[in-house]
Amino acid sequence: MFAICYLSAMVITLAMLMTLPQKLHRTALCYGALLFGLLGFMMMPRPTLYVDTIRFFDTLDAARSYLHVSPVQAWDYLMNDQGYSATPVMGVIMYIVAIFRQNGWLTFIAATADIGAGFYLIHRQALVKKYSSQALVTAVFFFLSMFNFNAGVSGVRSYMACGLSVCLIYHYAQQGFKPIAAVWYLLLILIHPFASIAPFLYILSTTIKKHKIIYTIFCITLLFQQRFQDTVFRIFGQFSSIPFFASLDFKSTQYFGETAYIESSSVSSRIRDILVFSFLIVIIIESFRHEPVVNLHYTGFLIMLTSFGFGAFSDEQLFTRTTVYLLFAALPFVYSLFTRLFSISNTAKQLPIIAYVIMLDSAICLIDNLRAGVRFQYIQLSWTSLCIACFIAILSFCHYTTIHSQTNHHY
């Protein structure tokens, strides 16, 4: 059932993009993200296999029981007993979701944010560069195929924080840094500490313009980051009395070094991460051979993120999360690459071999995503999910009707 729902949401999104005019593409992508949010709402973890969603749902159930006694007790439970004092923004989200009866609202938020972030990066690049409907549709298909939807929704906060932080990087790389950016980054970091990687690398990447030697040293250091991990986390440990640094110190024992006890769920997951990471590198290198895709600062950030990924190869969970980061960050390059490939060919038969390789790799990853979703999740239909689906359908119909009538009136 999961595979059918995912493919249905994917086909509907691509169909809207192919049939609607360009001015409605942003709206179509918004509704597409909501469709995947609906899928996230209906996804329930199988009781025989453990995923992070079970832990989040158990926490929500317990918080909800405390809410019946006192809102203060529920808040104290989340902040102190569950440790959300280190990431209070996520604690607020959990508290709000606990007010409602359905735990699925949490995965609805995660799924919508994950897919919406990818759609934003693709569409914004289309607006900034040459707009190509073919390239937009293909890039959206690529993202929906390569993104591990099951892991993103099950993990709830890490992928969401990664995707949104890359959106901020992309936006401020083009618009210029503004003080409000620090506030947005802080909010994301207080959802999940791993979101701090994006602003940290972006700050380092600003040296690429005037201090290329220093920038090169930074990149080389990231390639050998394992030699510095113990020192960095020992420094964090000195501030463990502060909840946020205590969370970082705890995460380091889970994900980093030889003592890490959270690893990839299977050999196939590890192989998939390596395949996706390697393929993204090929796309980035192919894009570098032609005109600049975004700007020098964003390119510098992408190179540093790639170096960070190479340095994280032996830490399975860190490598997985960095691959997700790289997937989001590379989406503007993916769109620009497809724009160039479609512009140099008049028919599908004239497309370069790399285009067929990209689509083949996308299909392989899509099959693996569907397999993982079916294995770990089942779909639970409810009256609430039906109401959400009807709301999305009515809203999209009303919006399209309004735009169509305005267009006819104009003419």
Side-chain angles (χ1 to χ4, degrees):
M1 189 65 176
F2 171 86
I4 295 174
C5 291
Y6 190 88
L7 289 174
S8 298
M10 189 175 184
V11 169
I12 291 172
T13 302
L14 295 176
M16 287 191 296
L17 292 176
M18 288 187 289
T19 56
L20 295 176
Q22 289 184 4
K23 63 181 179 180
L24 291 178
H25 280 176
R26 181 174 64 179
T27 303
L29 290 174
C30 289
Y31 291 133
L34 289 174
L35 283 176
F36 284 97
L38 173 61
L39 175 56
F41 183 89
M42 296 187 297
M43 285 169 54
M44 293 293 124
R46 295 188 183 278
T48 55
L49 295 168
Y50 181 81
V51 291
D52 283 345
T53 320
I54 295 177
R55 173 169 54 86
F56 282 106
F57 283 4
D58 288 344
T59 301
L60 286 172
D61 291 336
R64 200 171 288 117
S65 65
Y66 281 108
L67 270 173
H68 291 305
V69 179
S70 167
V72 176
Q73 286 192 20
W75 179 257
D76 183 70
Y77 167 75
L78 290 171
M79 291 297 109
N80 298 323
D81 294 353
Q82 294 300 310
Y84 283 108
S85 58
T87 53
V89 175
M90 189 61 203
V92 171
I93 295 174
M94 294 288 287
Y95 185 87
I96 293 173
V97 173
I99 296 174
F100 300 93
R101 292 179 57 187
Q102 292 87 359
N103 292 332
W105 287 114
L106 181 65
T107 46
F108 175 88
I109 293 172
T112 304
D114 290 345
I115 300 301
F119 286 173
Y120 169 83
L121 290 164
I122 295 170
H123 187 256
R124 285 296 300 174
Q125 182 67 10
L127 294 177
V128 172
K129 296 294 184 178
K130 178 183 176 181
Y131 202 105
S132 168
S133 297
Q134 285 180 304
L136 182 73
V137 171
T138 310
V140 167
F141 172 79
F142 174 87
F143 169 65
L144 294 176
S145 300
M146 303 290 279
F147 181 69
N148 192 336
F149 187 79
N150 169 66
V153 175
S154 298
V156 179
R157 59 187 188 136
S158 58
Y159 286 21
M160 176 171 59
C162 287
L164 295 177
S165 63
V166 173
C167 290
L168 288 175
I169 292 290
Y170 179 85
H171 175 77
Y172 288 110
Q174 293 187 324
Q175 303 295 327
F177 180 83
K178 297 179 182 179
I180 190 63
V183 177
W184 292 120
Y185 284 128
L186 179 61
L187 292 176
L188 292 177
I189 292 170
L190 294 180
I191 290 177
H192 197 284
F194 196 62
S196 59
I197 295 296
F200 172 71
L201 294 182
Y202 184 70
I203 291 173
L204 295 182
S205 70
T206 57
T207 59
I208 190 175
K209 193 170 185 179
K210 296 182 179 179
H211 308 286
K212 290 183 172 57
I213 295 178
I214 296 177
Y215 175 79
T216 303
I217 293 174
F218 283 149
C219 290
I220 294 174
T221 302
L222 291 173
L223 289 172
F224 299 95
Q225 60 173 282
Q226 282 194 318
R227 297 182 178 274
F228 308 100
Q229 283 179 4
D230 291 339
T231 302
V232 172
F233 286 109
R234 196 177 299 117
I235 295 174
F236 287 155
Q238 300 298 318
F239 302 94
S240 58
S241 58
I242 302 174
F244 176 74
F245 287 99
S247 176
L248 284 178
D249 187 50
F250 174 69
K251 288 296 181 183
S252 69
T253 62
Q254 290 182 307
Y255 301 140
F256 299 101
E258 297 179 356
T259 60
Y261 58 87
I262 295 182
E263 300 178 347
S264 295
S265 58
S266 63
V267 175
S268 62
S269 297
R270 179 65 168 168
I271 295 175
R272 181 189 180 281
D273 290 335
I274 296 173
L275 176 64
V276 172
F277 185 84
S278 303
F279 202 68
L280 290 173
I281 299 302
V282 172
I283 291 177
I284 293 170
I285 293 175
E286 179 67 19
S287 300
F288 282 168
R289 294 176 54 228
H290 303 278
E291 73 280 355
V293 174
V294 185
N295 58 31
L296 189 60
H297 284 170
Y298 188 85
T299 300
F301 162 72
L302 190 64
I303 294 173
M304 295 201 81
L305 184 60
T306 303
S307 301
F308 187 87
F310 276 113
F313 182 78
S314 60
D315 293 312
E316 294 185 7
Q317 283 297 317
L318 180 60
F319 181 74
T320 297
R321 281 161 170 73
T322 306
T323 301
V324 175
Y325 247 132
L326 189 63
L327 173 59
F328 280 110
L331 287 177
F333 287 74
V334 172
Y335 170 81
S336 295
L337 177 60
F338 282 128
T339 301
R340 186 180 61 83
L341 292 178
F342 283 117
S343 66
I344 62 177
S345 61
N346 296 322
T347 65
K349 295 181 179 180
Q350 297 175 350
L351 284 174
I353 186 64
I354 188 173
Y356 295 104
V357 174
I358 291 174
M359 300 312 295
L360 176 61
D361 184 71
S362 300
I364 293 173
C365 290
L366 175 61
I367 293 172
D368 184 68
N369 287 338
L370 297 177
R371 175 200 61 81
V374 171
R375 180 187 177 194
F376 288 96
Q377 310 288 341
Y378 70 93
I379 301 301
Q380 185 179 68
L381 300 175
S382 65
W383 286 109
T384 305
S385 61
L386 179 61
C387 290
I388 296 174
C390 291
F391 175 77
I392 295 173
I394 294 172
L395 192 63
S396 59
F397 176 77
C398 292
H399 188 273
Y400 175 75
T401 303
T402 302
I403 295 296
H404 185 68
S405 62
Q406 289 177 349
T407 303
N408 290 339
H409 179 72
H410 176 73
Y411 285 109

